[in-house]
Amino acid sequence: MLLPAKAVVSRQLDEYRAWERLLVADPADRVVRTHFENTAYTLCVLMGECTARAAAEAAERYLRPRTTRRPRPAPSRSRPAPDPRGR
């Protein structure tokens, strides 16, 4: 599966959040609503989601740093394991 560049997703998510704040501050402003809807649509396309909320959540998950676990080295078997019965 092809994934969008993280820099593009980050920039689009930032833009979406900025227009979202402006829309909450003035919901009747048609220019703000148009810009918000355009950024929401673009984020939906980038993240492959149907709603702006789902796309924003998917973008946040995608951008979240992954925690990686280092695999533990296999125990060396140079000596035979001791017999648990003491023999």
Side-chain angles (χ1 to χ4, degrees), residues 1 4 9 13 18 26 28-29 38 44 54 58-59 63 73 85:
M1 178 174 157
V9 174
L13 182 60
D26 189 5
D29 189 331
N38 287 340
C44 287
L63 296 172
R85 296 175 286 181

Short mmCIF file of all heavy atoms in Angstrom, two decimals, residues 1 4 9 13 18 26 28-29 38 44 54 58-59 63 73 85:
data_model
loop_
_atom_site.label_atom_id
_atom_site.label_comp_id
_atom_site.label_asym_id
_atom_site.label_seq_id
_atom_site.Cartn_x
_atom_site.Cartn_y
_atom_site.Cartn_z
N MET A 1 0.84 -1.18 0.00
CA MET A 1 0.00 0.00 0.00
C MET A 1 0.89 1.25 0.00
O MET A 1 1.84 1.34 0.77
CB MET A 1 -0.90 -0.02 1.23
CG MET A 1 -1.78 1.17 1.36
SD MET A 1 -2.88 0.91 2.75
CE MET A 1 -3.26 2.58 3.11
N PRO A 4 1.18 8.30 2.05
CA PRO A 4 1.61 9.67 1.74
C PRO A 4 2.84 10.05 2.55
O PRO A 4 3.10 9.49 3.62
CB PRO A 4 0.40 10.52 2.13
CG PRO A 4 -0.33 9.70 3.14
CD PRO A 4 -0.07 8.27 2.79
N VAL A 9 1.35 15.03 5.10
CA VAL A 9 0.25 14.76 6.04
C VAL A 9 0.31 15.75 7.21
O VAL A 9 -0.72 16.31 7.61
CB VAL A 9 0.29 13.30 6.55
CG1 VAL A 9 -0.75 13.08 7.63
CG2 VAL A 9 0.07 12.34 5.39
N LEU A 13 -2.62 18.35 8.05
CA LEU A 13 -3.30 18.26 9.34
C LEU A 13 -3.22 19.60 10.08
O LEU A 13 -4.21 20.05 10.67
CB LEU A 13 -2.69 17.14 10.19
CG LEU A 13 -3.33 16.91 11.56
CD1 LEU A 13 -4.81 16.54 11.42
CD2 LEU A 13 -2.57 15.82 12.31
N ALA A 18 -6.04 24.50 11.83
CA ALA A 18 -6.11 25.96 11.85
C ALA A 18 -7.46 26.46 11.32
O ALA A 18 -8.10 27.32 11.94
CB ALA A 18 -4.96 26.55 11.03
N ASP A 26 -16.04 31.43 14.17
CA ASP A 26 -17.03 32.17 13.38
C ASP A 26 -17.69 31.21 12.38
O ASP A 26 -17.34 31.19 11.20
CB ASP A 26 -16.36 33.33 12.65
CG ASP A 26 -17.35 34.26 11.99
OD1 ASP A 26 -18.59 34.07 12.16
OD2 ASP A 26 -16.91 35.19 11.30
N ALA A 28 -20.42 31.27 10.80
CA ALA A 28 -21.20 31.86 9.71
C ALA A 28 -20.32 32.38 8.57
O ALA A 28 -20.85 32.72 7.50
CB ALA A 28 -22.06 33.01 10.25
N ASP A 29 -19.01 32.43 8.75
CA ASP A 29 -18.11 32.94 7.72
C ASP A 29 -17.98 31.92 6.60
O ASP A 29 -17.39 30.86 6.75
CB ASP A 29 -16.73 33.25 8.34
CG ASP A 29 -15.81 33.98 7.38
OD1 ASP A 29 -15.93 33.81 6.15
OD2 ASP A 29 -14.95 34.73 7.89
N ASN A 38 -12.37 22.41 2.09
CA ASN A 38 -11.34 22.02 1.12
C ASN A 38 -10.19 21.28 1.80
O ASN A 38 -9.70 20.27 1.28
CB ASN A 38 -10.81 23.24 0.37
CG ASN A 38 -11.80 23.76 -0.64
OD1 ASN A 38 -12.72 23.07 -1.06
ND2 ASN A 38 -11.65 25.02 -1.02
N CYS A 44 -9.00 13.86 3.83
CA CYS A 44 -9.73 12.60 3.61
C CYS A 44 -9.09 11.79 2.48
O CYS A 44 -8.91 10.57 2.59
CB CYS A 44 -11.19 12.87 3.29
SG CYS A 44 -12.19 13.39 4.68
N ALA A 54 -12.48 11.21 10.96
CA ALA A 54 -11.73 9.95 10.83
C ALA A 54 -10.38 10.20 10.16
O ALA A 54 -9.37 9.59 10.54
CB ALA A 54 -12.55 8.94 10.03
N ALA A 58 -6.80 9.43 11.78
CA ALA A 58 -5.86 8.56 11.06
C ALA A 58 -4.52 9.27 10.83
O ALA A 58 -3.46 8.66 10.97
CB ALA A 58 -6.46 8.13 9.72
N ALA A 59 -4.58 10.55 10.52
CA ALA A 59 -3.34 11.32 10.32
C ALA A 59 -2.54 11.41 11.62
O ALA A 59 -1.32 11.26 11.61
CB ALA A 59 -3.67 12.72 9.81
N LEU A 63 1.19 9.88 12.14
CA LEU A 63 2.32 10.74 12.48
C LEU A 63 2.91 10.44 13.86
O LEU A 63 4.00 10.89 14.17
CB LEU A 63 1.89 12.21 12.42
CG LEU A 63 1.50 12.71 11.03
CD1 LEU A 63 0.91 14.10 11.12
CD2 LEU A 63 2.67 12.66 10.08
N PRO A 73 18.65 -10.84 22.14
CA PRO A 73 19.51 -11.85 21.52
C PRO A 73 19.15 -13.23 22.06
O PRO A 73 18.76 -13.38 23.21
CB PRO A 73 20.92 -11.44 21.94
CG PRO A 73 20.76 -10.52 23.08
CD PRO A 73 19.39 -9.92 22.98
N ARG A 85 16.86 -31.35 37.74
CA ARG A 85 16.74 -32.37 38.81
C ARG A 85 18.05 -32.56 39.56
O ARG A 85 18.13 -33.34 40.49
CB ARG A 85 16.29 -33.69 38.20
CG ARG A 85 14.90 -33.59 37.60
CD ARG A 85 14.52 -34.84 36.91
NE ARG A 85 15.31 -34.85 35.65
CZ ARG A 85 15.25 -35.77 34.75
NH1 ARG A 85 14.46 -36.80 34.90
NH2 ARG A 85 15.97 -35.70 33.66
#
